[in-house]
Amino acid sequence: MSSMKRYMQFVKPYNFQIFLTIVIGIIKFAIPLFIPLLIKIVIDDIIGAKGLTNDEKITQLVYWLGGTALVFLIVRPPIEYYRQYLAQLVSNKILFDIRKKMYIHLQKLSLKYYSNTRAGEVISRVINDVEQTKNFVMIGLMNVWLDLATILIAIGIMLTMNVKLTLVTLLAFPFYAFSVKYFFGRLRDLTKERSQALAGVQSYLHERVQGMSIIKTFTLEKHEQKIFNDTNGEFLDAAVKQTVWNAKAFAVVNTITDIAPLLVIAYAGYEAIHGRLSVGTMAAFIAYVERLYSPLRRLVNSSTTLTQSFASMDRVFELMDEEYDIEDKKGAYTLEDASGEVTFSNVSFQYEKDGQMILENVDFRVNAGETVAFVGMSGGGKSTIISLIPRFYDVTSGQVLIDGKDIRDVTIESLRKQIGIVLQDNILFSDSVKSNILMGKPDATDEEVIEAATAANAHDFIMELPQGYETKVGERGVKLSGGQKQRVAIARVFLKNPTILVLDEATSALDLESESLIQDSLERLASNRTTIIVAHRLSTITHADNIFVIEDGKVMENGSHGQLMKQKGIYYNLFQIQQLDTD
């Protein structure tokens, strides 16, 4: 299905409003078409009338001009208002619907998609490209029809006045149509390239603005300026290519529309000299030629704008056609009241089909209510294991089970409701502290929010903030310290009250005071629920019921802290090294 046909599915609910807008618009554009006819009446039937006295001519002039003025003063203003209002209202509603569907789609795309796609590229499509499609509604579905209606009405009036002169007026039409078809076919590809290049600039800026501290720390300003100049230069090249082709199109098409009135003036003048055409009719025709070719020039402008819209439509639907890696299978059921037993059965995993195997034949079981830890060197596969539990990714082979049920057989929503995650670097949104905590349970009461914050050792510092719970935390929580951000993140997990708790390096990047507060709140949070910890510092997980040592995607050892120390294997060596470092 073409992009335009798919776009029309969003337009369909507003067909009546669009039809009404077009009807009102036709009336709006039709009213001024009376002016050339009025010129003819004034010249031929009033000024040139031989049987009328000057007083009668003035009376007639007042009659015609007064009536026309009343139409323009009384009828046209409300018509102009409602045409503009309805056109903008409908087009903005359509964009709202498209963005709504796109956002639903974006939330269903897997983390694999986001790891392979720059955020700026996605934002550019949702904001810029969707906005560009508005021109299709305003111009393609409304203005083009109004311009065509204006042309047809003008031609109809002209035919009643003089058929031959009308045909002369239309001589340039075939050349106009051919030139539009020739030039604007190529323009769509060039416009799409320009949009892609613009998205590249936006993606680059989005990443660099977020990482400005790195640029300043490493004094990379000159280096980054060079990269930005190259990226911006690619956009300039694409924009210039489009501009050159666009300028050629306008040069040819406007030349054709400028020559057409000369033909009319020449033929009408010849006919008037020979007495076969009145001066009033000639003047009216010259006025009608401008009324006729102004819409044609607008159609040329519209062609350029519509080309941009079609290119943007293609980019919008390319994004909407991205397939879901993770979705509910047919017949998936709701996972309710899980006890929290987690089992990995012969699990292997790789991020890409032809990529490196990250996990190989991993087997383990976590009993309900147990606390287990995964340790090992960086890159061994620990974080991958915990990403498979909430189905951020699907296993390549084997099974992940909760309470003995394959997680691919249950709905994603019900699965993730059972799991709470606290990361090393938790993302907070640039909203209030309260709003960030409420993400754990959006319908929670203020009392529940305060209770969760208190349990997370966050209530005291929140109350010291300028607006307390209503204090805005800034983008990614930039206005809070690392420890404060972590406690807000823990508070929202308290509010969620999940059956399974996952802690991924939750205290590794904190100062001692923050770590002590957070360790206390995490112990409280882990009470009476299945807890899975990924830890770098082994001293923080010695209390775990079971510890799994992961190396090169495999479980190399497992047991309690005491058991593993007695084995004097990998875990023992890691622990000894860390103790020496601490000492």
Side-chain angles (χ1 to χ4, degrees), residues 319-486:
L319 175 56
M320 291 180 77
D321 286 339
E322 285 289 341
E323 294 184 357
Y324 304 135
D325 293 316
I326 311 294
E327 57 183 328
D328 289 336
K329 69 186 290 187
K330 192 174 180 180
Y333 58 91
T334 302
L335 178 65
E336 293 179 355
D337 301 324
S339 66
E341 180 192 279
V342 179
T343 306
F344 271 51
S345 177
N346 204 30
V347 168
S348 295
F349 176 76
Q350 56 191 151
Y351 285 101
E352 304 294 340
K353 277 189 179 180
D354 301 322
Q356 177 188 353
M357 196 64 76
I358 308 300
L359 300 176
E360 290 187 64
N361 305 318
V362 172
D363 277 295
F364 65 81
R365 179 169 143 184
V366 182
N367 294 319
E370 220 173 25
T371 295
V372 303
F374 291 93
V375 300
M377 300 297 286
S378 295
K382 306 184 297 295
S383 292
T384 301
I385 287 172
I386 63 170
S387 294
L388 295 177
I389 297 170
R391 274 192 83 191
F392 291 153
Y393 302 91
D394 268 341
V395 298
T396 303
S397 62
Q399 289 179 301
V400 177
L401 306 106
I402 290 182
D403 294 352
K405 299 164 185 172
D406 191 319
I407 60 174
R408 289 169 295 191
D409 293 334
V410 303
T411 63
I412 296 168
E413 183 181 6
S414 67
L415 167 68
R416 292 177 184 167
K417 278 185 175 178
Q418 306 292 328
I419 302 166
I421 302 176
V422 181
L423 304 171
Q424 178 181 345
D425 182 22
N426 286 282
I427 293 174
L428 301 184
F429 294 106
S430 55
D431 209 330
S432 66
V433 174
K434 178 183 173 183
S435 296
N436 275 284
I437 295 174
L438 278 170
M439 295 183 77
K441 184 183 175 185
D443 59 350
T445 63
D446 289 349
E447 289 75 16
E448 288 175 311
V449 170
I450 292 170
E451 188 180 335
T454 303
N457 288 327
H459 179 70
D460 290 344
F461 92 77
I462 293 171
M463 293 308 294
E464 291 173 2
L465 295 172
Q467 283 85 43
Y469 281 84
E470 299 302 326
T471 302
K472 304 287 184 185
V473 301
E475 190 168 0
R476 298 178 68 91
V478 70
K479 294 181 181 178
L480 302 180
S481 70
Q484 289 172 335
K485 283 170 60 177
Q486 204 72 326

Side-chain angles (χ1 to χ4, degrees), residues 73 81 114 137 208 426 431 511:
L73 289 171
Y81 169 81
Y114 290 105
V137 182
R208 265 47 181 193
N426 286 282
D431 209 330
D511 57 70

Side-chain angles (χ1 to χ4, degrees), residues 14-115:
Y14 305 100
N15 279 346
F16 176 73
Q17 289 98 317
I18 290 172
F19 173 74
L20 186 61
T21 306
I22 292 171
V23 170
I24 293 172
I26 289 172
I27 297 169
K28 175 207 161 180
F29 282 100
I31 291 172
L33 290 178
F34 178 70
I35 296 295
L37 196 57
L38 183 64
I39 292 170
K40 178 187 181 304
I41 292 168
V42 170
I43 293 172
D44 288 348
D45 301 338
I46 298 176
I47 297 172
K50 293 178 182 177
L52 297 175
T53 65
N54 285 345
D55 288 341
E56 288 173 330
K57 287 178 181 179
I58 290 170
T59 302
Q60 288 288 318
L61 189 63
V62 170
Y63 170 76
W64 282 103
L65 292 179
T68 306
L70 284 173
V71 170
F72 274 91
L73 289 171
I74 296 170
V75 178
R76 201 162 187 265
I79 286 175
E80 178 70 43
Y81 169 81
Y82 282 109
R83 195 198 85 77
Q84 289 292 337
Y85 170 75
L86 286 172
Q88 291 290 339
L89 179 68
V90 170
S91 56
N92 283 313
K93 280 187 174 181
I94 291 169
L95 298 200
F96 171 85
D97 292 344
I98 293 171
R99 288 199 178 104
K100 177 182 174 184
K101 186 161 186 178
M102 287 184 83
Y103 192 65
I104 291 170
H105 174 69
L106 289 175
Q107 292 185 94
K108 290 182 179 178
L109 291 171
S110 71
L111 292 185
K112 183 189 287 186
Y113 171 79
Y114 290 105
S115 64

